[in-house]
Amino acid sequence: MESLLRQYFSDNNSVYIASDHADINYHTGVAIQVNGDFVKLYLNLKEDRIIEAKYNVSGCPFMIAITAFYIERIKNKTLLEAAEIQDFNIEKTLELPINKKDRLFLLEDALKNCIKQINRGK
Amino acid sequence: MKSIYLDYASSTPLANEVVAEMVSAISNNDFGNPSSVDHEYGKNAYELIEDCRKDVANLINADQREIIWTSGATEANNLAIFGSYEFNLKNKSGNIITSMTEHKSVIEPFKTLEKKGLRVLFLSPKKNGEIDLNELEKTLNKDSLMVSLMHINNETGVLNDIESIGAICRKKNVIFHVDAAQSIGKIPIDVDNLKVDLMSLASHKIYGPKGIGALYINGKTMGRIAPIIKGGGQERGIRPGTLPTHQIIGMAAAFRLAKQHMNNDLNHIRKCRALFLKSISHIKDAVVNTDEVSTFPGIISVCLPDLDSESIIFGMNTIALSKGSACTSDSDEPSHVLKSMGLSQEEIRGTIRISFGRYTTMNEVSIAAESLVKIVTHLKMIRGQ
């Protein structure tokens, strides 16, 4: 499974680059861990559907890979569908070790914060 | 494809010459117990081992009678510290001194002796990682019993001024132990000049086998170390157990080679270091954690602030390197060495260790540097930097 982990670790297709994407009005949500790891999500919605998703991330290889994996899968999903993180089978597909499972919580927190921002704007 | 090995501070491959001598020892009739000197098999093994003892002593300008075989430097450190304690320190009240930058095999025995009632004083290193001689002088007092400090630090390559420390300890009549696991065979060592009483030696850091090492005990201190394991009377009663002839032959071969290659090896790793540092110089915020003057050139501890060393190493998958020392890198604990040098948690997290050796090629150094630049660029990009 390392090749899949490596594939998403190395993937940069959906990375948010300020100079390229600043003109798009993204909703953002960030979650930061005490050790400095962070995930920042950028979602562009049409009605309630995610038409574009980007991210910035810093942390261990699993943190990076799960973020890239998740972002790839939430495009064209509704916010409600995206919020069901367990449905994406990340843990099993990327064979997340027990001591790395908290990375999923960080991703979840970033999404929750993004949804809060969206709701505030409504 | 095999990855490029740049983790020589962790361990080294066996030199071909070492393999040849070990294979010959195993294949020939050298299997006798070196303590069974009543027949030719035992006598033969005994003589081989005594020849090896001379080779090991020769590299540090010691007498062969001052070398006691151990299973490695960790055991040698334990024997030096607990052996001194068992012999007479346990009957005294006083202090023993070491540093926060030491290897766990020194720090943990010191902590044990603290629980047994001795006062343990930990020296903090200077910002560059070196032991502060003024602080040592101030710390030493009439109650000081022992000082244990390493020669070259395994995580950072920091080189302590053992000669000056030895002179201070000798003046104050305090036992001085040096963990030389990283320096032996890499830089010249003369135990008389350094005024060292006890010195731990490893084999596998200089192209010899694992599972064998030695403790140098100077003539004056020889009778003052008690065994820490009980058994027969081998090694003058200080370290019981049947000696592993083939391992000892391997260690001695590695020590002879080290003596022969030392200057070339040192020049070679200096070139490796210079090339590596030049090749990564355009990574703006990369910081070498030590200064160039007091660092052994074979080890580079480099910090990439805000990045995660685990991701750097994962990304450099064709290069074998380390995020800290091999002995602690399997735990999530931040490096106690870097911490004591004042690095922040983030700086420690972003630190990797690269170490060069005799078989490192310049091409490998270039590839590794290129690989580091590439992964740092990737990780910064996904961070949004």
Side-chain angles (χ1 to χ4, degrees), chain A residues 6 9 37 57-59 100, chain B residues 310-311 314 349 378 382-383:
Chain A
R6 194 166 290 287
F9 171 83
D37 282 4
V57 63
S58 183
K100 301 284 184 185
Chain B
E310 203 183 321
S311 283
F314 184 79
R349 258 183 111 219
H378 174 67
I382 61 173
R383 263 182 73 85

Side-chain angles (χ1 to χ4, degrees), chain A residues 12 14 18 24 31 34 36 39 41-42 48-49 52 54 56 59 64-65 89 100 107 110-111 115 122:
Chain A
N12 54 18
S14 300
I24 302 168
V34 202
V39 178
L41 301 180
Y42 300 78
D48 213 20
R49 202 163 282 277
E52 188 56 279
K54 301 274 179 201
N56 287 136
I64 293 169
N89 227 0
K100 301 284 184 185
L107 186 62
L111 182 72
I115 293 172
K122 276 184 180 171

Side-chain angles (χ1 to χ4, degrees), chain B residues 19-191:
Chain B
V19 175
E21 290 205 30
M22 289 180 74
V23 168
S24 163
I26 293 168
S27 322
N28 294 339
N29 274 332
D30 299 331
F31 64 87
N33 186 326
S35 299
S36 305
V37 288
D38 294 329
H39 52 68
E40 65 169 303
Y41 295 94
K43 214 181 276 178
N44 187 30
Y46 172 84
E47 280 167 7
L48 284 169
I49 282 171
E50 291 315 302
D51 285 343
C52 293
R53 211 185 292 272
K54 276 185 212 158
D55 291 330
V56 169
N58 193 22
L59 188 61
I60 57 170
N61 191 31
D63 187 284
Q64 69 180 97
R65 289 167 298 182
E66 296 173 314
I67 301 297
I68 298 292
W69 303 113
T70 64
S71 62
T74 286
E75 188 195 328
N77 285 342
N78 274 262
L79 179 57
I81 297 162
F82 289 129
S84 299
Y85 176 80
E86 282 302 321
F87 180 77
N88 70 351
L89 302 190
K90 67 180 174 186
N91 303 318
K92 297 180 177 179
S93 63
N95 60 65
I96 51 175
I97 299 166
T98 187
S99 149
M100 292 307 296
T101 59
E102 291 302 304
H103 191 267
K104 292 276 184 188
S105 60
V106 166
I107 290 182
E108 292 305 320
F110 265 62
K111 284 183 179 168
T112 303
L113 295 189
E114 190 169 35
K115 285 183 195 147
K116 288 177 185 276
L118 285 181
R119 192 161 170 237
V120 174
L121 303 171
F122 284 102
L123 301 172
S124 297
K126 293 193 283 189
K127 198 169 165 34
N128 70 356
E130 237 188 313
I131 292 300
D132 185 335
L133 299 182
N134 292 328
E135 196 198 343
L136 174 66
E137 281 209 87
K138 274 186 223 155
T139 308
L140 276 166
N141 57 36
K142 61 177 178 38
D143 296 327
S144 300
L145 304 168
M146 182 184 213
V147 169
S148 177
L149 293 168
M150 69 198 336
H151 201 174
I152 290 177
N153 186 277
N154 52 312
E155 285 188 44
T156 59
V158 164
L159 182 61
N160 280 319
D161 180 359
I162 294 298
E163 191 171 354
S164 299
I165 297 170
I168 294 169
C169 292
R170 192 59 60 86
K171 200 169 82 185
K172 306 257 183 181
N173 204 22
V174 174
I175 303 169
F176 181 34
H177 166 245
V178 174
D179 174 0
Q182 289 290 345
S183 59
I184 186 67
K186 295 176 188 167
I187 56 172
I189 292 179
D190 179 325
V191 283

Side-chain angles (χ1 to χ4, degrees), chain B residues 322-334:
Chain B
S322 158
K323 64 175 171 177
S325 72
C327 312
T328 52
S329 58
D330 54 354
S331 79
D332 267 349
E333 240 176 86

Side-chain angles (χ1 to χ4, degrees), chain B residues 173-376:
Chain B
N173 204 22
V174 174
I175 303 169
F176 181 34
H177 166 245
V178 174
D179 174 0
Q182 289 290 345
S183 59
I184 186 67
K186 295 176 188 167
I187 56 172
I189 292 179
D190 179 325
V191 283
D192 280 344
N193 284 346
L194 299 180
K195 298 185 176 58
V196 168
D197 298 308
L198 301 156
M199 181 177 271
S200 300
L201 309 173
S203 153
H204 75 104
K205 311 281 189 189
I206 50 162
Y207 317 98
K210 294 167 185 64
I212 185 71
L215 178 65
Y216 157 79
I217 308 176
N218 71 6
K220 177 180 73 112
T221 316
M222 184 53 88
R224 297 174 186 187
I225 300 292
I228 57 171
I229 50 172
K230 308 295 174 198
Q234 292 94 341
E235 296 301 277
R236 309 173 78 171
I238 294 171
R239 203 281 190 175
T242 302
L243 293 171
T245 311
H246 62 291
Q247 298 287 89
I248 290 172
I249 285 174
M251 177 167 170
F255 273 49
R256 283 197 307 277
L257 279 172
K259 190 161 192 173
Q260 198 183 320
H261 288 279
M262 197 181 292
N263 286 338
N264 284 343
D265 285 352
L266 206 47
N267 284 333
H268 175 62
I269 58 169
R270 276 194 189 111
K271 285 180 192 157
C272 292
R273 182 185 185 90
L275 176 62
F276 188 83
L277 292 179
K278 191 179 166 208
S279 307
I280 65 159
S281 58
H282 56 284
I283 304 177
K284 274 199 306 215
D285 43 2
V287 180
V288 177
N289 291 324
T290 59
D291 64 38
E292 289 300 294
V293 182
S294 52
T295 303
F296 169 67
I299 299 176
I300 302 179
S301 171
V302 62
C303 170
L304 290 312
D306 300 325
L307 302 185
D308 184 325
S309 57
E310 203 183 321
S311 283
I312 298 171
I313 290 169
F314 184 79
M316 295 173 74
N317 62 326
T318 57
I319 320 290
L321 71 161
S322 158
K323 64 175 171 177
S325 72
C327 312
T328 52
S329 58
D330 54 354
S331 79
D332 267 349
E333 240 176 86
S335 155
H336 65 282
V337 174
L338 299 176
K339 207 169 158 184
S340 71
M341 285 167 65
L343 270 74
S344 68
Q345 295 278 39
E346 288 72 28
E347 288 167 328
I348 295 172
R349 258 183 111 219
T351 292
I352 54 168
R353 180 187 71 179
I354 296 122
S355 45
F356 310 111
R358 190 179 294 160
Y359 306 122
T360 307
T361 66
M362 289 301 165
N363 188 38
E364 288 175 334
V365 174
S366 296
I367 293 171
E370 206 177 294
S371 171
L372 179 61
V373 171
K374 200 174 153 194
I375 188 64
V376 167

